[in-house]
Each structure stands twice: as structure tokens, then as C-alpha cells.
């Protein structure tokens, strides 16, 4: 029962869409109405407000980290095992992708997934983030960086800890990220994908 409750709480935490909340606080347009229509930091950056984009990025990452930290910190008190923490990791990402508070229209999960990985293990998170940064700076495509980081994340986990239930969770998260970037994959292949920092239309 505690595992189910932890999963539900994690989903609700993930359902807080910082792109929408921050944009409203800054008096910006709803990020679901311009650019890629994705409520995430990259699309908020297209509004031209870098501070709003940074706050969105941090908020989405922190909620992923916070959900995993809560489950880990109170694991002994509430009898949560590694399987419970794996469920929490997936649930908070699902909340971001399909948030109950925003009509199930969510972001693509990159920042939240990064926060989850940091919550699982700091070195895992750093390795995955560095992969994203290298590809993003080299090619200027946030989606391409996210896809490559998603592919490498399970490999990093496997090298650090070997096969376990949390590795399964990382695989599931990577699969969700690739799925949410399916249109971006098409755009990349057609040469139509927007680059980081491009203005909204």
C-alpha cells in the first residue's frame, strides 16, 4: 500500500508544470500555444525570457529529484524498497508527461528525468547531463541531445551498478523520452527541427 501511495504522490508532484506556472508568473504566453507547443524550458526560452526558461528548467528538474529523494529518505520508515523507488522514478516522469493538473498536456520530460537520475545517484545524473550538454553545444538541437542522453543513461547505470530494478526504471524512462520525441526525430530527419534559442513564431 505504501508503494502505491508513494507512486501516486510522485505522479502528483510531477504533474506541476513549471513551464506553465512560471510563464504565468512572468506574464508570458502559455508555452503550449507557440513554438513547439511543448511546456518545457526549451520552448519557454523561445519567448525570449531567459530567466523564465532557467526557472522552468530548475523547477522541472527539482521535482524529479525531490520525488526520488522523498522515497529514498523515508524508505525505511515506510517500508519502501528499491522497487518502490523505481516506481516513484517512473511515476514522477509520467506526471510531467501527462499532468493531471493541466489536462494531461505535459512536457517531454528531459529536465524531470535528469532530476530523477540525480536523485538515484549524483554521478549517474552528472554523466547523463554532460552527455546532453556536449551534444547540445555541438549541434544546437535540444531534442537530439535528449535522445542521445536517453540512450546513454541506462548504459551509465549498468556500468555503475549493474542490473537491478532501478535499471529497469531507467530503461522505461528512456523509452518514454524517445517516444515523446518521436515528432522531433521526424523533424531532425527532414532538417526542420528548431535549434536552441530560436525565437517563437
Amino acid at each position: 500500500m505504501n508503494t502505491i501511495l508513494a507512486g501516486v504522490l510522485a505522479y502528483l508532484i510531477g504533474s506541476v508544470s513549471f513551464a506553465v506556472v512560471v510563464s504565468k508568473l512572468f506574464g508570458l504566453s502559455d508555452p503550449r500555444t507557440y513554438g513547439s507547443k511543448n511546456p518545457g524550458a526549451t520552448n519557454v526560452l523561445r519567448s525570449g525570457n531567459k530567466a523564465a526558461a532557467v526557472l522552468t528548467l530548475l523547477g522541472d528538474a527539482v521535482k524529479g529529484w525531490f520525488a526520488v529523494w522523498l522515497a529514498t529518505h523515508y524508505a525505511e520508515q515506510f517500508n519502501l524498497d528499491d522497487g518502490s523507488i523505481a516506481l516513484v522514478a517512473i511515476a514522477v516522469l509520467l506526471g510531467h508527461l501527462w499532468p493531471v493538473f493541466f489536462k494531461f498536456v505535459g512536457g517531454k520530460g528531459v529536465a524531470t528525468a535528469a532530476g530523477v537520475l540525480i536523485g538515484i545517484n549524483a554521478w549517474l545524473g552528472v554523466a547523463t547531463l554532460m552527455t546532453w550538454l556536449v551534444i547540445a553545444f555541438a549541434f544546437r538541437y535540444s531534442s537530439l541531445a535528449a535522445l542521445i542522453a536517453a540512450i546513454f543513461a541506462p548504459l551509465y547505470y549498468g556500468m555503475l551498478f549493474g542490473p537491478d530494478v532501478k535499471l529497469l526504471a531507467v530503461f522505461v524512462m528512456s523509452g518514454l523520452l524517445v517516444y515523446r520525441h518521436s515528432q522531433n526525430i521526424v523533424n531532425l530527419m527532414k532538417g526542420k527541427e528548431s535549434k536552441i534559442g530560436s525565437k517563437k513564431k
Side-chain angles (χ1 to χ4, degrees), residues 42-54:
T42 301
N43 203 37
V44 172
L45 184 61
R46 293 190 176 102
S47 71
N49 193 314
K50 294 181 180 179
V54 170

Side-chain angles (χ1 to χ4, degrees), residues 152-189:
F152 274 85
L155 299 177
Y156 293 145
Y157 187 97
M159 288 188 292
L160 286 169
F161 308 108
D164 60 19
V165 68
K166 290 181 185 177
L167 175 58
L168 178 60
V170 176
F171 266 116
V172 171
M173 289 168 55
S174 295
L176 288 169
L177 289 177
V178 172
Y179 169 73
R180 289 292 283 183
H181 284 80
S182 56
Q183 185 57 51
N184 300 93
I185 295 172
V186 174
N187 290 341
L188 284 166
M189 293 176 68

Side-chain angles (χ1 to χ4, degrees), residues 10-83:
Y11 172 78
L12 294 176
I13 292 172
S15 288
V16 179
S17 179
F18 280 91
V20 178
V21 173
V22 171
S23 292
K24 189 171 184 179
L25 289 174
F26 276 75
L28 304 173
S29 300
D30 189 322
R32 296 169 294 181
T33 64
Y34 63 80
S36 64
K37 295 182 172 57
N38 172 59
T42 301
N43 203 37
V44 172
L45 184 61
R46 293 190 176 102
S47 71
N49 193 314
K50 294 181 180 179
V54 170
L55 285 176
T56 298
L57 179 69
L58 290 176
D60 285 343
V62 167
K63 72 183 181 184
W65 167 84
F66 182 61
V68 175
W69 178 85
L70 275 178
T72 304
H73 188 73
Y74 292 101
E76 185 175 348
Q77 183 176 346
F78 292 99
N79 297 316
L80 302 176
D81 57 14
D82 283 351

